[in-house]
Amino acid sequence: MPPPAITFRAIKFGSPEFQKECKLRNEVLRLPLGLNLFDENLEQERHQMHFGLFDQDDNLLACVIAVANSSTEAKIRQMAVSPEHAEKGRGRSLLKFLEDFLARQAITHLSMHARMTAVGFYEKLGFERDGVEFVEVGIPHIRMVKHTITGH
């Protein structure tokens, strides 16, 4: 039996899919730190690019946000993978789809603030450390970059 269909698609700010995205981001990225995403002003995300990986039943498996910094550079933020789908290649798939999408928009450089616990994951996908460790949302991060992305 073939694996279930997984689709990558944009998520519209304020939509029911956006609510799923916020719930997942809160569960994976904020609650473990004693924070709550819903206490934050999310209005600034209105003009950011939101994406998700969905299964055939429209369950959100993983999500990510991209913010255009210029016509050729974007920052990746708030990437989250559903705990029941962790370690199954969903994060890697999500980033590959995102890079393909952004490359078609003429984006060639990516940056992010990566949690130190995730640096190895991003390095395997071609990202490099850029700078020194710093604290964001109470935990260690480092800026990472990937130059010259191309569609896969």
Side-chain angles (χ1 to χ4, degrees), residues 113-116 132-137 139-143:
H113 293 176
R115 292 178 179 203
M116 291 305 294
V132 296
E133 191 175 309
F134 58 92
V135 174
E136 190 170 81
V137 292
I139 58 172
H141 283 71
I142 193 162
R143 184 174 189 270

Side-chain angles (χ1 to χ4, degrees), residues 45-61:
E45 295 185 358
R46 178 176 295 280
H47 301 291
Q48 298 175 2
M49 297 175 280
H50 299 256
F51 301 94
L53 272 187
F54 293 85
D55 68 12
Q56 73 278 4
D57 296 322
D58 212 33
N59 295 307
L60 180 62
L61 310 180

Side-chain angles (χ1 to χ4, degrees), residues 4-46:
I6 304 292
T7 58
F8 171 80
R9 65 179 189 257
I11 296 173
K12 184 178 178 193
F13 182 86
S15 69
E17 290 82 9
F18 179 74
Q19 294 307 313
K20 289 179 185 182
E21 173 196 337
C22 289
K23 183 177 181 229
L24 178 59
R25 288 167 44 204
N26 195 46
E27 174 187 350
V28 172
L29 302 174
R30 290 296 190 257
L31 293 179
L33 303 178
L35 303 171
N36 191 323
L37 183 73
F38 297 101
D39 292 339
E40 300 175 24
N41 180 0
L42 300 179
E43 187 59 33
Q44 82 248 5
E45 295 185 358
R46 178 176 295 280

Side-chain angles (χ1 to χ4, degrees), residues 85-99:
H85 292 277
E87 307 297 325
K88 294 182 180 177
R90 303 297 188 228
R92 182 174 49 256
S93 294
L94 180 64
L95 278 180
K96 297 273 186 212
F97 281 122
L98 178 65
E99 286 183 20

Side-chain angles (χ1 to χ4, degrees), residues 69-141:
N69 290 335
S70 72
S71 62
T72 59
E73 183 180 340
K75 179 179 180 182
I76 296 173
R77 56 184 300 273
Q78 295 279 299
M79 183 168 150
V81 177
S82 171
E84 50 276 3
H85 292 277
E87 307 297 325
K88 294 182 180 177
R90 303 297 188 228
R92 182 174 49 256
S93 294
L94 180 64
L95 278 180
K96 297 273 186 212
F97 281 122
L98 178 65
E99 286 183 20
D100 289 348
F101 175 86
L102 293 174
R104 289 192 303 274
Q105 312 305 310
I107 299 291
T108 57
H109 295 77
L110 297 176
S111 66
M112 70 174 71
H113 293 176
R115 292 178 179 203
M116 291 305 294
T117 56
V119 167
F121 167 79
Y122 292 116
E123 285 177 331
K124 288 177 188 171
L125 296 173
F127 285 84
E128 300 172 355
R129 297 172 194 226
D130 182 41
V132 296
E133 191 175 309
F134 58 92
V135 174
E136 190 170 81
V137 292
I139 58 172
H141 283 71

